Amino acid sequence: MKQVAAGIIPAAQLLDVRTEPALDAEGKDALRITLVITDDAAQTLTGAQLGHLLLDVHDSLLKQGDERFPLISYATPTDSGEADDD
């Protein structure tokens, strides 16, 4: 997932990718993907880029034989509790 996301989000702005099994709104298996991005990325990413990312991730999963729908969310280190407390 990190390689797919790096095609849209510059590596310097993509801090981490977390995945976990989930269920979609219909109760079907899905894959929850959380992209931890810098504050700069959160302010500069466009809707078009995020739409392309969703399609790229979905296509990548299908190519790997994984039919789960990706549920993508975004967080900054502050949002995910990783901010430096100095």
Side-chain angles (χ1 to χ4, degrees):
M1 288 301 106
K2 196 167 192 169
Q3 289 176 333
V4 174
I8 304 289
I9 301 171
Q13 294 180 328
L14 181 61
L15 304 175
D16 195 13
V17 177
R18 300 178 183 147
T19 61
E20 63 182 328
L23 297 175
D24 67 12
E26 297 176 357
K28 295 179 183 175
D29 287 336
L31 182 63
R32 183 171 314 284
I33 302 168
T34 303
L35 302 173
V36 181
I37 57 177
T38 64
D39 290 325
D40 287 345
Q43 295 179 20
T44 60
L45 288 172
T46 66
Q49 288 173 304
L50 299 177
H52 286 294
L53 179 60
L54 177 61
L55 290 174
D56 290 351
V57 167
H58 189 253
D59 289 347
S60 177
L61 288 171
L62 288 175
K63 286 179 185 175
Q64 296 175 43
D66 190 337
E67 296 183 6
R68 293 178 292 176
F69 187 80
L71 303 171
I72 300 176
S73 62
Y74 309 90
T76 63
T78 303
D79 297 334
S80 62
E82 296 178 8
D84 191 9
D85 292 331
D86 289 343

